[in-house]
Amino acid sequence: MDNQKLGIFITELRKEKGLTQAQLAQKLNVTDKAVSKWERGVGFPDIKLLEPLADVLDISLLELMKSERLPKTQRMPLGTPAPSGRLALEY
């Protein structure tokens, strides 16, 4: 994952939701300084925060990991078997 691209993506989605860094931080039980670091590309969210962060931002986990929106046809409900037979990790 590209930390700068992820930071820009998180910033854009947070602003689309009308959230401040402090409000996003509160929803994730982290500090606003942590959110600031993510958005500036100085650090990454902890792995256990990726799914809650994607939920708050209304995106799939895959979209968060790729730092880009995917067409709805590429999104699969969480737990849906993918063509490879593996379970989908996005929703």
Side-chain angles (χ1 to χ4, degrees), residues 9-67:
F9 190 58
I10 291 171
T11 302
E12 289 172 353
L13 295 172
R14 175 182 58 78
K15 289 180 178 182
E16 282 178 18
K17 293 279 184 196
L19 296 172
T20 64
Q21 287 181 343
Q23 289 169 324
L24 178 58
Q26 184 178 21
K27 289 178 180 287
L28 299 170
N29 296 313
V30 298
T31 65
D32 57 335
K33 290 180 182 183
V35 173
S36 175
K37 285 181 181 180
W38 306 338
E39 291 186 355
R40 290 182 289 125
V42 177
F44 286 103
D46 187 272
I47 193 162
K48 63 185 171 203
L49 290 173
L50 294 180
E51 190 172 352
L53 178 58
D55 287 342
V56 170
L57 298 175
D58 283 332
I59 58 172
S60 71
L61 191 52
L62 182 59
E63 288 173 306
L64 182 62
M65 303 279 296
K66 288 188 168 196
S67 303

